[in-house]
């Protein structure tokens, strides 16, 4: 199963700043409040700060490519079909 291809790991520290468009200026920032801690703990988003212009915000550490989005749809459909078949089998063998 090509599960590892669904998400592609990306390090925003090597990416470009959304404000000044410079490359390699972002570095990890500490969470300032509860909201940021929750976002950091529950999503792939992590707080970053730009050394050049002082921009601060969340950047994703994962990217989903067009191909991987198709994989996700495929897996969701597979789960849905499996659930449907399982329910069908159960309804046939478990008499009401
Ligand atoms: Zn910047």
């Amino acid at each position: 199963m090509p599960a590892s291809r669904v998400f592609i790991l990306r390090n925003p520290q090597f990416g470009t700043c959304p404000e000044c468009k410079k490359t390699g200026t972002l570095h990890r920032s500490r969470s300032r409040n509860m909201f940021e801690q929750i976002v950091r703990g529950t999503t792939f988003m992590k707080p970053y700060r730009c050394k050049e212009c002082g921009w601060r915000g969340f950047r994703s550490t994962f990217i989903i490519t067009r191909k991987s989005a198709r994989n996700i749809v495929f897996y969701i459909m597979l789960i849905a079909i499996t659930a449907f078949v399982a329910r069908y089998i159960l309804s046939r063998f478990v008499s009401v």
Side-chain angles (χ1 to χ4, degrees):
M1 292 247 278
S4 58
R5 282 183 202 161
V6 173
F7 295 108
I8 293 166
L9 189 64
R10 184 185 68 167
N11 190 345
Q13 275 168 290
F14 301 116
T16 52
C17 170
E19 194 69 29
C20 63
K21 311 287 182 208
K22 282 182 181 164
T23 310
T25 57
L26 297 178
H27 66 108
R28 284 283 296 278
S29 179
R30 276 172 168 273
S31 302
R32 274 184 193 163
N33 51 46
M34 266 266 281
F35 170 75
E36 290 190 357
Q37 278 176 7
I38 291 164
V39 170
R40 204 182 63 171
T42 55
T43 68
F44 293 126
M45 307 292 270
K46 301 236 182 313
Y48 281 87
R49 177 191 275 281
C50 176
K51 280 183 276 190
E52 289 293 314
C53 67
W55 173 88
R56 191 175 181 281
F58 283 90
R59 301 301 283 164
S60 175
T61 52
F62 282 91
I63 50 165
I64 298 170
T65 61
R66 191 182 285 256
K67 195 183 168 190
S68 65
R70 216 164 52 198
N71 281 349
I72 291 167
V73 171
F74 174 74
Y75 286 129
I76 289 167
M77 275 171 64
L78 201 73
I79 290 162
I81 290 164
T82 307
F84 180 79
V85 169
R87 227 179 69 175
Y88 176 75
I89 291 166
L90 279 175
S91 68
R92 287 208 67 160
F93 287 95
V94 181
S95 53
V96 183

